């Protein structure tokens, strides 16, 4: 099932965020540089967990990989007019949420061809537009969002500062704690000796 | 996709890929959408423009030219009957204009038949003009400077400008290769500008009355009534700019003689100097100019090329203590006898 021997016949099991598994051919998986770096040489025991992405997204991504297995070597993004009917259908079938998920998954799996086609599609969406038209096409972070983001960053910085301060404090305390038993020991010994001396002199 | 696309929420790598597939002008437009989009576009480090010029004189004219990515598929597909030089996408409104010009940078021939889209390098020039100065136009200038890490190649400041321009210069202290001003610019403003801007390659003072383009069409009255706020030659030389071309400059024959004597003794980076006295000034006395100097009279014209122009110098050759040679002379042709030119030998077209 998940042998390191890389033949196109080999099937790998993929696990999605829902915990569902489905199989993908080795040839399709090899289009993912992430997979190549992680599993190709060492093999995988059991399903390969891509649990940050749902089943629909992963299936869509690997549908593309399966389709482009026999295509010639990738040489940069195609012009939109050069896309095949299958390619166009593939992109047109997706709604925006799925499209974004596919870009994210494709980016994580490092599938250059798919990522580039998706990005070409976005660039095309922005082509020939003036500022006002572009603002309509893209979602820009609102002032509130930017403020919230800044607050989060400030909070994070403050939390990191607190952690650093606490760590420094703990380190200081540990130093004193380490010193305490020694001091106590010295004092106790001194007391004992004084007592002994006194009792001795009394005797 | 009718719902707005969350472009700025994409992971950096896909965002970078999107930007890399856009042309430079589209990146500029995107960076003008918001502060966040400007910051994101800057991270991608898009290619610097080949040319970035700014002319402020009444209106504001920005010229920015980028090399197009290869191969030029988009142009080829969209303009099947295109010519080598054309203007497209002209958005004309009452006060704001963007003009796009497509050029072939490397082509053996100017005929469009010979243009090879897959191998020839091409560029796109955008001329962005506004009839009057606004904060909006400053946004465009700042976006080009910040996002494309561009510095000005040529910056011209005319008499007719907004006070906000001077404030902007004071605040930004922009890096400029070639600075030009109008001779009638208020002397205080000129000094102020020169305090904040040091032209790296060239400084020129343009005169509408004595300039070569306008000389013939001006009346004697215009010439006589022309008021300038001439900069003194010594102040010009203090700029330590390699090329100085100034109409309406203040100098005496003695100043020129002293300049040549100093050049002989002190090594400077000056390559070319052309200075004109204001109109109605006395002629330059050639004897006073060369007094006490060991010079050789030139037998023929020495030609020096500055940009598209070839300039002839008839006069003398001189060498300094470092062994550098130069030519200088007084122009007695097109204008009154008040022009002095100086050029290093290394700048000449024909070597003597």
């Amino acid at each position: 099932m998940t042998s390191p021997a890389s033949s196109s016949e080999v099937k790998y099991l993929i696990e999605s965020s829902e915990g569902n598994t489905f199989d993908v051919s080795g040839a399709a998986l090899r289009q993912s540089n992430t997979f190549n770096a992680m599993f190709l040489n060492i093999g995988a025991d059991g399903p390969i967990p891509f649990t940050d992405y749902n089943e629909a997204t992963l299936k869509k991504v690997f549908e593309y990989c399966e389709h482009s297995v026999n295509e010639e070597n990738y040489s940069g993004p195609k012009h939109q007019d050069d896309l095949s009917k299958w390619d166009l259908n593939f992109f047109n079938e997706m709604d925006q949420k799925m499209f974004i998920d596919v870009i994210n998954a494709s980016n994580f799996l490092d599938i250059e061809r798919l990522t580039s086609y998706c990005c070409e599609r976005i660039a095309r969406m922005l082509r020939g537009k003036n500022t006002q038209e572009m603002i309509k096409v893209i979602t820009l972070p609102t002032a509130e969002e930017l403020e919230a983001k800044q607050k989060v960053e400030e909070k994070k910085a403050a939390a990191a500062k607190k952690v650093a301060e606490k760590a420094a404090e703990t380190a200081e305390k540990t130093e004193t704690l380490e010193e305490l038993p020694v001091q106590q020991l010295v004092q106790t010994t001194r007391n004992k000796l004084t007592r002994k001396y006194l009792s001795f002199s009394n005797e | 996709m009718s719902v707005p696309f969350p472009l700025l929420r994409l992971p950096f790598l896909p965002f970078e890929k999107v930007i890399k597939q856009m042309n430079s002008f589209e990146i500029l437009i995107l960076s003008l959408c918001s502060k966040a989009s400007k910051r994101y576009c800057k991270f991608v480090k898009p290619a610097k423009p080949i040319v970035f010029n700014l002319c402020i004189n009444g209106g504001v004219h920005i010229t920015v030219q980028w090399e197009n990515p290869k191969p030029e598929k988009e142009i080829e597909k969209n303009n099947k009957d295109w010519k080598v030089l054309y203007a497209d996408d002209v958005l004309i409104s009452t006060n704001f204009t963007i003009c796009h010009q497509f050029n072939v940078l490397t082509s053996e021939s100017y005929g469009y038949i010979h243009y090879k889209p897959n191998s020839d390098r091409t560029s796109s020039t955008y001329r962005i003009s506004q009839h009057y100065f606004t904060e909006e136009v400053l946004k465009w200038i700042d976006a080009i400077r910040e996002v494309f890490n561009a510095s000005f190649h040529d910056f011209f400041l005319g008499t007719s400008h907004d006070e906000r321009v001077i404030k902007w210069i004071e605040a930004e202290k922009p890096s400029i290769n070639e600075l030009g001003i109008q001779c009638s610019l208020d002397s205080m403003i000129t000094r102020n500008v020169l305090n904040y801007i040091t032209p790296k390659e060239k400084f020129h003072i343009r005169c509408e009355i004595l300039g070569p383009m306008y000389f013939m069409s001006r009346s004697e009255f215009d010439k006589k009534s022309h008021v300038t706020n001439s900069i003194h030659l010594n102040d010009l030389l203090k700029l330590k700019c390699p090329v100085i071309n100034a109409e309406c400059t203040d100098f005496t024959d003695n100043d020129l003689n002293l300049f040549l004597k100093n050049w002989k003794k002190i090594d400077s980076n000056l390559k070319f100097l052309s200075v004109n006295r204001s109109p109605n000034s006395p002629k330059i006395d050639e004897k006073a100019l060369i007094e006490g100097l060991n010079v050789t009279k030139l037998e023929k014209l020495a030609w020096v090329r500055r940009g598209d122009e070839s300039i002839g110098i008839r006069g003398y050759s001189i060498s300094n203590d470092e062994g550098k040679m130069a030519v200088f002379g007084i122009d007695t042709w097109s204008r009154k006898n008040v022009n002095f030119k100086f050029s290093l030998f290394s700048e000449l077209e024909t070597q003597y």
Side-chain angles (χ1 to χ4, degrees):
Chain A
M1 175 184 65
T2 56
S3 143
S6 50
S7 135
S8 57
E9 301 299 318
V10 177
K11 296 271 183 188
Y12 289 81
L13 264 186
I14 302 292
E15 189 185 342
S16 67
S17 60
E18 299 96 329
N20 299 341
T21 55
F22 60 96
D23 45 60
V24 175
S25 77
L29 255 180
R30 272 197 301 280
Q31 290 184 44
S32 156
N33 290 328
T34 307
F35 167 80
N36 287 340
M38 287 166 75
F39 300 107
L40 190 65
N41 295 323
I42 54 166
D45 293 326
I48 301 168
F50 288 133
T51 46
D52 281 345
Y53 305 98
N54 62 35
E55 189 182 358
T57 307
L58 288 172
K59 277 191 171 167
K60 195 77 185 161
V61 169
F62 289 116
E63 180 193 341
Y64 188 84
C65 293
E66 296 281 8
H67 175 77
S68 52
V69 161
N70 295 322
E71 279 190 19
E72 69 226 29
N73 284 341
Y74 177 67
S75 57
K78 276 184 194 172
H79 191 276
Q80 203 75 4
D81 296 348
D82 300 334
L83 287 181
S84 67
K85 208 176 170 185
W86 189 94
D87 283 330
L88 283 173
N89 280 340
F90 175 81
F91 286 115
N92 291 338
E93 274 170 10
M94 286 186 268
D95 61 8
Q96 195 187 84
K97 192 186 172 302
M98 171 69 90
F99 183 64
I100 295 166
D101 287 345
V102 165
I103 298 173
N104 284 328
S106 171
N107 176 50
F108 171 75
L109 292 165
D110 196 3
I111 303 166
E112 205 187 339
R113 190 192 297 245
L114 180 58
T115 314
S116 293
Y117 283 177
C118 290
C119 294
E120 220 282 320
R121 212 171 154 77
I122 301 166
R124 204 174 167 76
M125 200 163 72
L126 304 173
R127 207 151 284 164
K129 298 223 167 14
N130 64 30
T131 316
Q132 293 309 316
E133 289 166 341
M134 224 178 242
I135 288 171
K136 281 180 193 165
V137 174
I138 56 173
T139 318
L140 291 169
T142 58
E144 289 83 31
E145 277 178 312
L146 283 175
E147 206 177 301
K149 202 177 174 186
Q150 203 173 336
K151 271 184 186 170
V152 169
E153 274 169 18
E154 277 170 14
K155 266 187 185 174
K156 269 186 189 172
K161 202 180 168 189
K162 254 188 183 176
V163 169
E165 278 172 2
K166 222 175 186 181
E169 222 171 73
T170 320
E172 245 173 52
K173 269 185 186 169
T174 319
E175 271 171 29
T176 17
L177 280 173
E178 274 168 4
E179 278 165 16
L180 260 177
V182 180
Q183 282 174 343
Q184 271 176 351
L185 193 71
V186 171
Q187 194 59 45
T188 326
T189 320
R190 217 178 259 164
N191 292 343
K192 272 181 186 172
L193 283 171
T194 321
R195 254 183 263 136
K196 251 188 185 176
Y197 171 76
L198 283 174
S199 61
F200 180 71
S201 58
N202 284 341
E203 275 173 15
Chain B
M1 279 171 234
S2 53
V3 188
F5 186 81
L7 178 71
L8 303 185
R9 291 196 197 106
L10 282 180
F12 182 72
L13 283 177
F15 177 78
E16 191 184 30
K17 273 186 195 256
V18 172
I19 297 295
K20 292 260 161 88
Q21 287 177 36
M22 291 165 74
N23 69 38
S24 301
F25 190 72
E26 286 161 356
I27 299 171
L28 173 62
I29 297 284
L30 176 63
S31 68
L32 286 165
C33 288
S34 73
K35 279 183 186 172
S37 67
K38 189 170 160 186
R39 208 171 58 213
Y40 275 57
C41 289
K42 195 179 165 183
F43 284 149
V44 178
K45 295 184 183 167
K48 276 187 180 190
I50 311 168
V51 172
F52 179 32
N53 297 340
L54 179 63
C55 174
I56 301 173
N57 195 11
V60 182
H61 309 281
I62 307 165
T63 306
V64 59
Q65 181 183 14
W66 286 282
E67 183 165 349
N68 292 320
K70 281 197 288 183
E72 195 49 74
K73 282 183 178 171
E74 203 63 35
I75 297 288
E76 191 193 7
K77 281 196 180 286
N78 291 345
N79 304 280
K80 282 178 183 153
D81 302 320
W82 70 278
K83 309 285 183 291
V84 170
L85 198 66
Y86 74 103
D88 69 349
D89 304 335
V90 185
L91 309 170
I92 297 175
S93 65
T94 48
N95 53 35
F96 190 72
T97 310
I98 302 171
C99 176
H100 172 212
Q101 180 183 309
F102 179 76
N103 300 78
V104 177
L105 288 176
T106 52
S107 184
E108 288 169 6
S109 165
Y110 290 103
Y112 83 100
I113 299 161
H114 302 281
Y115 167 64
K116 296 182 267 324
N118 286 322
S119 56
D120 278 340
R121 288 169 59 205
T122 62
S123 74
S124 282
T125 307
Y126 296 88
R127 292 192 175 84
I128 304 148
S129 301
Q130 179 122 36
H131 288 180
Y132 49 88
F133 184 85
T134 60
E135 295 293 332
E136 183 62 24
V137 93
L138 266 190
K139 274 189 193 170
W140 283 72
I141 297 166
D142 284 335
I144 298 169
R145 290 178 64 222
E146 279 181 46
V147 175
F148 298 90
N149 192 21
S151 54
F152 293 107
H153 296 109
D154 198 344
F155 185 106
F156 182 79
L157 186 65
T159 327
S160 173
H161 63 262
D162 196 283
E163 269 181 29
R164 284 173 291 181
V165 175
I166 305 298
K167 279 185 186 163
W168 174 78
I169 289 172
E170 285 178 15
E172 295 291 322
K173 302 177 187 68
S175 165
I176 289 169
N177 287 353
E178 296 182 10
L179 173 67
I181 58 165
Q182 223 165 357
C183 71
S184 44
L185 192 67
D186 184 81
S187 56
M188 281 291 285
I189 292 174
T190 307
R191 266 187 223 118
N192 208 1
V193 167
L194 291 173
N195 275 339
Y196 294 102
I197 301 176
T198 310
K200 288 180 197 160
E201 288 170 17
K202 186 181 172 187
F203 178 63
H204 64 108
I205 300 176
R206 197 190 290 170
C207 173
E208 307 94 328
I209 306 296
L210 272 188
M213 299 295 285
Y214 305 98
F215 181 74
M216 300 305 287
S217 60
R218 297 290 173 174
S219 66
E220 280 305 311
F221 175 78
D222 275 347
K223 286 177 220 164
K224 277 180 185 164
S225 61
H226 179 56
V227 178
T228 66
N229 297 297
S230 309
I231 299 183
H232 194 275
L233 174 68
N234 292 341
D235 291 331
L236 278 181
L237 295 169
K238 274 180 202 162
L239 291 173
K240 296 193 186 308
C241 193
V243 177
I244 296 170
N245 189 355
E247 311 275 357
C248 301
T249 315
D250 187 11
F251 60 86
T252 62
D253 298 345
N254 259 350
D255 290 330
L256 289 179
N257 181 264
L258 201 63
F259 155 71
L260 290 168
K261 281 178 177 165
N262 282 339
W263 179 81
K264 274 178 79 74
K265 284 182 216 155
I266 306 158
D267 194 32
S268 77
N269 65 343
L270 187 71
K271 290 179 181 170
F272 178 82
L273 172 74
S274 171
V275 280
N276 280 307
R277 258 185 205 152
S278 314
N280 318 313
S281 308
K283 291 183 175 182
I284 296 172
D285 180 3
E286 204 165 315
K287 277 184 188 168
L289 178 67
I290 58 170
E291 197 185 316
L293 290 166
N294 184 15
V295 293
T296 313
K297 191 145 180 90
L298 293 172
E299 286 172 8
K300 50 183 178 178
L301 269 175
W303 289 97
V304 59
R305 190 152 190 87
R306 300 251 52 96
D308 298 332
E309 199 184 2
S310 273
I311 301 163
I313 301 177
R314 190 190 298 275
Y316 301 89
S317 71
I318 186 172
S319 60
N320 71 4
D321 298 347
E322 303 269 318
K324 267 189 197 170
M325 290 193 74
V327 291
F328 67 90
I330 303 159
D331 188 349
T332 53
W333 291 354
S334 56
R335 299 166 205 174
K336 287 178 76 177
N337 193 7
V338 284
N339 174 262
F340 170 81
K341 285 189 179 72
F342 168 94
S343 172
L344 281 187
F345 247 55
S346 54
E347 297 295 298
L348 296 183
E349 281 188 314
T350 12
Q351 295 296 320
Y352 283 80

